[in-house]
Amino acid sequence: MSIRHSLLALLQDRPRYGYQLRTEFEDRTGSSWPLNIGQVYTTLDRLERDGLVRNDGGDGDGHVIYSITPAGQAEVSDWFAAPVSRANPPRNELAIKLSLGLTIPGTDVGAIIQAQRAVSVRALQDYTKSRRDTAGLQRPADTARLLVLDSLIFQTEAEVRWLDLCEARMMQLSNLQR
């Protein structure tokens, strides 16, 4: 996830200080990816260094206000225009755990699959309930949250299906070893 581009996008609306950016990001993404406030300020420092935002000074309450520069606007426009690359998929801790578990003697991969399935099904239920509750409000501002929830639901459904496949492969492997 690009914190850099997310902060630039939020600054297109209006100048903000770090905590406002953090709150706005979490509100717009349904709090699915909480941001560490230190990460926000570190990113703002880098964006300022790179000439993409400017420090507009304090607001009188001890907050430093940042605004986007023309170079920052161009950067965020390019980000929105470019598709997300699939060339370097993010690391999937579960896939790594199962792959390594298969090669480490004494690891109960079936138990790992069952434990993860239980967590994933519970998450799927929570996402679905949250989606239903959010959709019931029918406020235009909730559309962004619904998009995020739909993405989480689809990803979790895919994970559960993949876990079913993993379990089937484990059964095939055990039948071959007999």
Side-chain angles (χ1 to χ4, degrees), residues 5 19 23 41 72 78 92 128 153 155-156 158 161 177:
H5 292 105
Y19 188 78
T23 301
Y41 282 107
D78 291 346
N92 181 324
T128 302
I153 288 167
Q155 290 171 19
T156 307
R161 287 193 318 268
Q177 293 175 342

Side-chain angles (χ1 to χ4, degrees), residues 6 23 26 28 35 57 73 77 83 97 101 112 119 143 167 175:
S6 298
T23 301
E26 290 179 0
R28 293 189 191 200
L35 289 181
Q73 290 173 337
S77 291
K97 183 187 285 190
I112 296 169
V119 168
T143 301
E167 191 171 57
N175 289 338

Side-chain angles (χ1 to χ4, degrees), residues 124 127-128 131 148-158:
L124 183 57
Y127 295 146
T128 302
R131 191 199 188 293
V148 171
L149 287 167
D150 287 338
S151 175
L152 293 170
I153 288 167
F154 291 146
Q155 290 171 19
T156 307
E157 287 173 339

Side-chain angles (χ1 to χ4, degrees), residues 21-41:
L21 287 165
R22 175 185 168 207
T23 301
E24 196 65 29
F25 175 85
E26 290 179 0
D27 286 348
R28 293 189 191 200
T29 61
S31 298
S32 299
W33 301 284
L35 289 181
N36 177 301
I37 194 64
Q39 183 180 19
V40 171
Y41 282 107

Side-chain angles (χ1 to χ4, degrees), residues 15-178:
R16 292 183 169 92
Y17 56 87
Y19 188 78
Q20 289 174 319
L21 287 165
R22 175 185 168 207
T23 301
E24 196 65 29
F25 175 85
E26 290 179 0
D27 286 348
R28 293 189 191 200
T29 61
S31 298
S32 299
W33 301 284
L35 289 181
N36 177 301
I37 194 64
Q39 183 180 19
V40 171
Y41 282 107
T42 299
T43 303
L44 285 169
D45 288 343
R46 288 184 187 132
L47 290 170
E48 184 180 11
R49 176 199 67 201
D50 296 343
L52 302 175
V53 302
R54 73 177 152 269
N55 177 328
D56 292 337
D59 66 355
D61 290 328
H63 304 114
V64 176
I65 304 295
Y66 292 89
S67 60
I68 194 166
T69 64
Q73 290 173 337
E75 172 104 2
V76 79
S77 291
D78 291 346
W79 179 63
F80 278 129
V84 175
S85 173
R86 295 291 178 203
N88 296 312
R91 287 189 183 108
N92 181 324
E93 184 178 351
L94 179 57
I96 293 167
K97 183 187 285 190
L98 291 175
S99 296
L100 291 175
L102 280 169
T103 65
I104 306 295
T107 303
D108 187 349
V109 176
I112 296 169
I113 292 169
Q114 290 304 316
Q116 187 63 44
R117 181 183 286 111
V119 168
S120 298
V121 167
R122 195 170 23 248
L124 183 57
Q125 291 167 342
D126 291 345
Y127 295 146
T128 302
K129 180 186 181 316
S130 185
R131 191 199 188 293
R132 186 174 48 249
D133 293 347
T134 302
L137 299 174
Q138 301 209 3
R139 295 180 308 198
D142 292 322
T143 301
R145 178 159 172 69
L146 290 172
L147 290 175
V148 171
L149 287 167
D150 287 338
S151 175
L152 293 170
I153 288 167
F154 291 146
Q155 290 171 19
T156 307
E157 287 173 339
E159 181 174 284
V160 170
R161 287 193 318 268
W162 178 70
L163 288 167
D164 292 342
L165 177 66
C166 290
E167 191 171 57
R169 291 227 169 110
M170 294 300 300
M171 290 173 69
Q172 286 176 336
L173 180 63
S174 111
N175 289 338
L176 290 174
Q177 293 175 342
R178 288 185 195 174

